[in-house]
């Protein structure tokens, strides 16, 4: 198991070639082994993205796109971007809100599987990344679980542990059920402020204990865990470095 960084955490700093180059260099200098690429401006040519990653010495493990915005309408465009960056995985998030019944989910699953076949033909692994509402039940079964049951087994689940908190679905359940079908996991921490607002925090500075989570990920055969934090209470790159230092301190032995 290896530790990477979810680049969507610093999306505002990925909107020009110069910003992207600087961000990649900072992330590499921290000591992250690889990244999941998301949040990079679509105006930046794929070759420039690949060059920025290569110059920084960063491995692009995966890319991530939303559905349908930016992905569903033109999957070939983002398959090409993932290929240009040398990505092994292409993850898709955001199940449309209108998919609110088993029948609609069935139809969406068929569309999703067709995209997955294109990703497979391009030599990559396709994955679905559920967010908070996808862990809610649909006729007694969590939506994400229903969808995964509809999809070919080679389509994986990319699991954000934070998204499952408070949903009634434990991270242990997800890791056990999708063991062997879940190479990528996201880690995100938070702290409830006196105002009641939930503030995203660097890993180890929030209210969650990540040591048992990391051990469970390793036991489940997870290949990469990615630190993630899209909102910050201080410099975004300082937060990324703090997450790295914490995770290294509780990394599973053996």
């Amino acid at each position: 198991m290896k530790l990477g960084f979810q680049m969507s955490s610093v999306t505002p700093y990925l909107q020009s070639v110069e910003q992207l180059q600087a961000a990649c260099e900072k992330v590499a200098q921290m000591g992250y082994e690889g990244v999941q690429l998301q949040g990079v401006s679509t105006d930046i040519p794929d070759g420039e993205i690949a060059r920025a990653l290569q110059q920084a010495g960063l491995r692009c493990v995966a890319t991530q796109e939303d559905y349908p915005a930016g992905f569903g309408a033109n999957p070939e465009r983002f398959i090409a971007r993932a290929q240009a960056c040398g990505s092994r995985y292409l993850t898709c998030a955001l199940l449309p809100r209108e998919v609110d019944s088993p029948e609609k989910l069935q139809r969406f699953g068929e569309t999703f599987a067709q995209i997955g076949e294109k990703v497979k033909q391009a030599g990559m692994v396709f994955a679905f990344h559920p967010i908070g509402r996808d862990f809610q039940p649909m006729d007694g079964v969590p939506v994400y679980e229903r969808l995964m049951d509809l999809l070919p087994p080679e389509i994986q689940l990319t699991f954000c542990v934070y998204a499952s908190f408070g949903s009634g679905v434990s991270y242990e359940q997800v890791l056990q059920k999708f063991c062997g079908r879940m190479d990528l996991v996201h880690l995100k921490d938070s702290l409830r402020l006196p105002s009641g607002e939930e503030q995203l925090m660097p890993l180890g500075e929030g209210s969650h204990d990540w040591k048992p989570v990391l051990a469970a990920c390793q036991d489940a055969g997870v290949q990469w865990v990615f630190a993630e934090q899209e909102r910050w209470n201080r410099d975004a790159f300082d937060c990324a470095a703090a997450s790295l230092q914490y995770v290294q301190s509780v990394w599973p032995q053996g």
Side-chain angles (χ1 to χ4, degrees):
M1 189 167 71
K2 296 182 179 180
L3 174 61
F5 183 64
Q6 168 54 293
M7 292 294 285
S8 65
S9 303
V10 293
T11 293
Y13 306 99
L14 307 176
Q15 303 311 302
S16 70
V17 172
E18 294 76 19
Q19 285 182 327
L20 175 63
Q21 290 172 339
C24 287
E25 289 172 2
K26 289 179 180 179
V27 170
Q29 288 168 2
M30 291 175 198
Y32 282 103
E33 298 182 63
V35 297
Q36 180 160 24
L37 196 71
Q38 184 185 11
V40 178
S41 171
T42 54
D43 293 332
I44 299 178
D46 296 348
E48 292 289 351
I49 301 172
R51 187 174 298 109
L53 292 164
Q54 184 179 24
Q55 289 178 346
L58 279 178
R59 176 181 174 186
C60 181
V61 179
T63 62
Q64 182 169 315
E65 305 296 340
D66 291 341
Y67 187 98
F71 186 76
N74 188 8
E76 289 82 4
R77 168 71 184 86
F78 294 98
I79 290 171
R81 169 167 282 194
Q83 285 180 306
C85 296
S87 180
R88 169 65 175 152
Y89 303 89
L90 203 169
T91 291
C92 181
L94 293 186
L95 183 66
R97 286 187 179 275
E98 60 269 22
V99 179
D100 56 4
S101 70
E103 295 74 23
K104 292 178 181 178
L105 191 66
Q106 172 79 43
R107 291 195 292 272
F108 177 79
E110 293 169 358
T111 299
F112 203 81
Q114 291 170 1
I115 298 173
E117 182 60 30
K118 294 179 180 180
V119 175
K120 180 181 177 181
Q121 290 175 1
M124 293 178 291
V125 176
F126 196 40
F128 173 63
H129 173 34
I131 62 172
R133 65 176 182 266
D134 301 329
F135 290 89
Q136 298 304 308
M138 178 184 284
D139 289 354
V141 180
V143 172
Y144 83 94
E145 192 172 317
R146 278 185 172 274
L147 177 60
M148 294 302 294
D149 286 344
L150 293 170
L151 298 174
E154 65 268 17
I155 295 181
Q156 291 200 4
L157 182 77
T158 292
F159 177 39
C160 176
V161 176
Y162 179 80
S164 70
F165 291 152
S167 70
V169 178
S170 71
Y171 73 84
E172 294 97 335
Q173 287 176 274
V174 182
L175 290 169
Q176 289 169 8
K177 182 172 180 62
F178 292 95
C179 180
R181 198 181 174 187
M182 182 171 51
D183 290 350
L184 312 180
V185 167
H186 294 175
L187 309 178
K188 184 160 57 176
D189 211 344
S190 69
L191 191 65
R192 189 168 296 279
L193 303 178
S195 65
E197 180 186 358
E198 197 82 7
Q199 170 69 55
L200 294 184
M201 301 292 292
L203 295 166
E205 295 183 22
S207 57
H208 305 287
D209 181 6
W210 294 98
K211 187 172 184 178
V213 177
L214 287 163
C217 286
Q218 181 163 276
D219 290 344
V222 172
Q223 299 297 302
W224 284 85
V225 292
F226 296 94
E228 181 178 23
Q229 183 185 352
E230 301 96 341
R231 300 188 308 277
W232 336 279
N233 60 347
R234 58 184 189 271
D235 179 77
F237 294 97
D238 178 53
C239 290
S243 287
L244 174 64
Q245 291 166 12
Y246 167 78
V247 173
Q248 288 175 331
S249 74
V250 295
W251 194 256
Q253 301 300 310

